[in-house]
Amino acid sequence: MPPAEEVRRRSHSDYIFGKVLGEGSFSTVYLAKDVHTSKEHAIKVVEKAHVIREKKTESVMREKEVLRILGNSCPYFVRLYWTFQDTDRLYFVLSYAKNGDVLGQIEKHGRLSIDCTRYYLAELILGLEHLHSKNIIHRDLKPENLLFDENWHILITDFGSAKILTSENGHNNESSTIDVPEKEYPYKRRNSFVGTAQFVSPEMLTETHSSYASDLWALGCIAFQMASGHMPFTGGSEYLIFQKILKLEYTFPEDFPREIKALVEKLIVLEPQKRLGTSDERKYSSIRQHPFFTVLNWDDLGPPPKISEDCNQTPSQEIPDHLEPGLDEEKASRLHLDLLSPSPIITRKKSPPNRKITDLTDAEIQERLEAQKSNIYHSFVEDNLILKQGFIDKKKGLFARRRMFLLTLGPHLYYVDPVTMTLKGEIPWSRDIKTEAKNFKTFFVYTPNRKYYLEDPEGYALEWCKAIDDLKNYYYPDET
Ligand code: ATP
């Protein structure tokens, strides 16, 4: 890490900001170039007011602290180069993961090859050995949080849920700095982090302590997903997923590679202390010695196996040189607009005219569900029938983020980032949900805790309100 006074001297004017790389729940990540070194970075910009409003200060500070502890000590982690702030925002200058994430590659190829699965699990294990030796538990490991650097090595990221243990016996002495009792942890995240439930270990659901073994459970789930393309625990709701996890209810697909199966079965184990690696004196010698890894030289993994045919293409220069350094409101808005247009894969679908959900027979629902499997957004809706979908600009703070909204039976109202193809969340349903159309484009959805500002770029705000109201009347008929 650079000396503290140097950190203070940096500001956003030391960087030329290019495109938006992605958005988190309370951050926007930009590709940026250091004007002094020409090095490309990912800069995570966090709006202070939003973080405070969403009570996420603890998580942001924890992420910064973990990145600070890790520094430059291990190649398998995203590195924090600088942090600075201005009145409204915090800036984290990070290593730029040029090649996306593991989830993207699994989705692109259906699954990873055995060689890639072995290699990237090995990098992850080396990363975990290091992380755990620093007394840190990640607690949110999943393929989406394993990024790829320009040479196709993994960079573990997202330490907002991490836990820093401060004593050798593994007990957490930092209770004053964590605002969520362990027991509530997975439940607290119910509405904002739908995707993560699948990787939560059983002890995080039932006990007051998580441990390093919780990351080993996630390692097993990741191995399963890399090799098969599917997560071991899925279900129509987080509750159902948690039930399956607690009962260890999962099955291997028939063509699941045998040598990985034996490893997964030793990691996805209900009792944390029985998971492979937990009783190692030297972490994680028993995992290293597992027959699946026999062909590897752990002291030098060598270059990564080719993950895809096009992985050797050099990415083109992405930040035009003529841009001025710095990030003011106008520039930030423009970069967001660049992200929003041209709109990718627009498949706006209206619900069939004059067809109410109540009019659909079970057979029709099944038929439509079958047809829906070819819809690229089907994988986000937990097998619920999509009644209406379309792009909506979801306003948050100063910015609008374009999302694919999916109104489904259940009821659910999911929204997906169409650029990164990740589920960003869902508007929570209850009998108290209300809509209000302000004009043809703008409409609001009110939930007990929040007002959502939404804008339909095609001007069908009224239709959205009606569809949501119809669904509400269907599920809560006496609430009108
Ligand atoms: P949430 O805050 O909701 O958990 P997140 O952890 O994905 O979401 P961020 O860490 O802010 O939030 O990242 C937002 C997006 O930016 C990521 O999904 C990814 O697409 C992109 N991104 C984040 N870090 C990097 C990086 N170092 N290099 C390249 N892209 C990145």
Side-chain angles (χ1 to χ4, degrees), residues 21-25 27 29 42 44 78 94-97 147 158 193 420:
L21 291 172
E23 289 167 346
S25 316
S27 53
V29 179
K44 180 162 170 165
V78 161
L94 304 163
S95 9
Y96 171 35
L147 308 180
D158 200 352
F193 295 89
T420 57

Side-chain angles (χ1 to χ4, degrees), residues 76-216:
Y76 303 120
F77 294 94
V78 161
R79 180 177 166 195
L80 178 66
Y81 286 79
W82 309 89
T83 58
F84 45 84
Q85 54 178 302
D86 54 28
T87 330
D88 300 323
R89 303 176 187 138
L90 302 169
Y91 298 79
F92 295 79
V93 181
L94 304 163
S95 9
Y96 171 35
K98 218 168 193 157
N99 285 311
D101 58 31
V102 169
L103 181 64
Q105 290 302 317
I106 293 175
E107 287 179 345
K108 186 172 167 190
H109 303 291
R111 65 172 82 175
L112 300 191
S113 67
I114 292 200
D115 285 348
C116 284
T117 300
R118 182 184 290 113
Y119 187 89
Y120 289 119
L121 285 178
E123 290 201 331
L124 177 54
I125 290 159
L126 291 176
L128 283 184
E129 288 180 358
H130 186 75
L131 189 72
H132 294 174
S133 76
K134 298 271 182 193
N135 305 320
I136 299 165
I137 314 172
H138 188 290
R139 303 201 300 184
D140 197 12
L141 286 173
K142 52 184 174 177
E144 204 180 333
N145 285 338
L146 307 176
L147 308 180
F148 285 117
D149 72 7
E150 58 187 341
N151 297 315
W152 292 95
H153 292 289
I154 63 158
L155 297 171
I156 304 170
T157 190
D158 200 352
F159 297 93
S161 305
K163 180 158 140 182
I164 306 169
L165 302 171
T166 50
S167 66
E168 281 308 308
N169 62 16
H171 286 291
N172 175 21
N173 287 345
E174 42 137 29
S175 53
S176 61
T177 64
I178 291 198
D179 58 347
V180 190
E182 279 283 304
K183 218 172 179 172
E184 292 175 22
Y185 161 73
Y187 296 97
K188 191 176 182 202
R189 297 162 56 117
R190 178 165 296 162
N191 292 323
S192 45
F193 295 89
V194 180
T196 306
Q198 289 89 341
F199 296 85
V200 168
S201 61
E203 68 274 14
M204 289 171 80
L205 296 170
T206 55
E207 291 171 22
T208 52
H209 279 287
S210 58
S211 67
Y212 301 121
S214 309
D215 284 347
L216 298 177

